[in-house]
Amino acid sequence: MTVLRNKGFDKSKWMQLPRDVLVGHDVLGQLPEVCADLSLGGSVLVVTGAHTMKVAGDRVVRMLAKSYETRTYLAEEISPATIAEAEEEAKEVRFLVAVGGGKIIDTAKIASFNTDRQFVSVPTAASHDGIASASASVPTPEGNLSLSAHPPVAVVADTGIIASAPHRLLASGCADIISNLSAVLDWELAHRIRGEPISEYASTLSRMTAEAMIRNADLVKPNTEETAWMVVKALVASGVAMSIAGSSRPASGGEHKFSHALDRIAPGKGLHGEKCGIGTIITLFLHGGDWQGAREALRKIGAPTTLAEIGIDEATAVEGLLLAATIRPERFTILDMGMNRGSAESLIRMLSKE
Ligand SMILES: [Zn+2]
């Protein structure tokens, strides 16, 4: 057979996606089957936290210990030190299982990536779209940044466990999904102004997921498995959009840079998705998008829509907006279109008005 060699065509693509995704009632019980199905090896490191150990980690360790040599690493925080410790533990095993929220999943994601192990994501909350994605939020001297690692080889999301977590976490996850709307507009802007390559499949999937979340905001009810089911599927879809793009671009634009800026100047205030949701109101306004619609959906979901609700004052928020443009400058967004102190101040004032 003759292989065609088109002159000038040199595109190629490597896409990594989770292979098994289990979502639903009591799917935690199927975790050993998932690990066996994927032939992940004979020894496992369970990365979890003190609280998530009680919620699901204990059961995971008991189930896996029947068939695997099982070690446990408790990570309360994500930091260069905990990542390094988790990596040392990971070297002793063939694969990792992360049982917990964003920090734990991201710790396992990076430790498994750096040690060339697979990892299985077992989220105990639906608080952000990292549960199925290749990107991890990691602390750096410049604040938290989304870095590329690899996606989990499998996701086991038990809706009973996720529905039992505080509603604030799930609302934050919904806000992270809604932020895809402005992230995609930023991507399209960078495509038009800077010629940045864009994937129509990734941007369409990401936007569709955000629009469905806004449309279904009325259906988001605290502590129900139906809601957990809807939100987990949206978070997985968002992760898939990032995998198609090969970066966090479809789900992370100016609103994420604003959130990262606030991480730096107001540490500990507000959850990741909460800050991104508030940032989305600002960036959608700047894009001429339906910022009121997004704000209304965030309210219905129970996510904050003002900075006061997460304990950040106006002066700090203005600094955050100005700082946002300097974070990850290669990621061009609407915040890089000549924002100055005056415009930042009026934007922040607009947010606190009805
Ligand atoms: Zn996010």
Side-chain angles (χ1 to χ4, degrees), residues 9-269:
F9 181 84
D10 58 359
K11 284 185 176 180
S12 67
K13 185 134 183 113
W14 187 349
M15 238 189 265
Q16 285 193 314
L17 293 155
R19 202 175 99 180
D20 288 342
V21 178
L22 275 80
V23 187
H25 180 71
D26 207 22
V27 293
L28 189 66
Q30 294 173 59
L31 176 66
E33 240 174 289
V34 171
C35 298
D37 175 51
L38 294 167
S39 306
L40 295 173
S43 55
V44 59
L45 173 68
V46 178
V47 180
T48 187
H51 174 67
T52 48
M53 186 72 181
K54 284 184 226 142
V55 172
D58 262 338
R59 189 171 161 208
V60 166
V61 171
R62 264 186 281 120
M63 286 191 300
L64 294 178
K66 287 181 189 159
S67 322
Y68 300 92
E69 191 194 308
T70 309
R71 302 167 76 98
T72 309
Y73 177 70
L74 291 188
E76 287 315 319
E77 265 305 317
I78 182 163
S79 70
T82 54
I83 292 169
E85 277 175 21
E87 276 178 30
E88 283 310 306
E89 292 286 328
K91 286 176 191 160
E92 305 295 321
V93 299
R94 294 287 307 280
F95 70 101
L96 285 74
V97 173
V99 184
K103 291 186 178 101
I104 286 159
I105 288 174
D106 281 355
T107 300
K109 191 183 285 177
I110 299 164
S112 60
F113 181 68
N114 289 346
T115 55
D116 202 17
R117 268 50 174 181
Q118 299 285 8
F119 91 103
V120 178
S121 171
V122 182
T124 54
S127 56
H128 72 76
D129 60 18
I131 63 172
S133 79
S135 41
S137 180
V138 290
T140 71
E142 289 81 41
N144 281 9
L145 285 183
S146 307
L147 294 186
S148 293
H150 61 179
V153 66
V155 181
V156 178
D158 191 308
T159 45
I161 293 168
I162 289 164
S164 310
H167 179 65
R168 185 183 172 196
L169 298 175
L170 182 126
S172 175
C174 294
D176 204 13
I177 295 160
I178 289 173
S179 82
N180 289 8
L181 267 193
S182 61
V184 168
L185 288 173
D186 278 331
W187 197 7
E188 289 171 344
L189 183 73
H191 175 63
R192 287 195 298 267
I193 291 189
R194 296 239 168 138
E196 187 180 314
I198 192 166
S199 156
E200 214 173 319
Y201 289 106
S203 59
T204 303
L205 176 59
S206 178
R207 180 190 286 121
M208 189 190 84
T209 308
E211 286 171 349
M213 182 54 66
I214 290 177
R215 224 174 24 248
N216 294 322
D218 282 327
L219 304 177
V220 173
K221 302 273 184 276
N223 308 113
T224 64
E225 284 197 64
E226 287 80 3
T227 299
W229 164 260
M230 178 175 92
V231 177
V232 167
K233 286 196 299 175
L235 293 170
V236 170
S238 190
V240 168
M242 289 188 260
S243 284
I244 295 172
S247 80
S248 60
R249 210 18 154 154
S252 170
E255 74 300 321
H256 270 66
K257 296 217 278 188
F258 177 58
S259 166
H260 293 318
L262 294 177
D263 293 341
R264 213 192 290 180
I265 56 174
K269 299 273 171 78

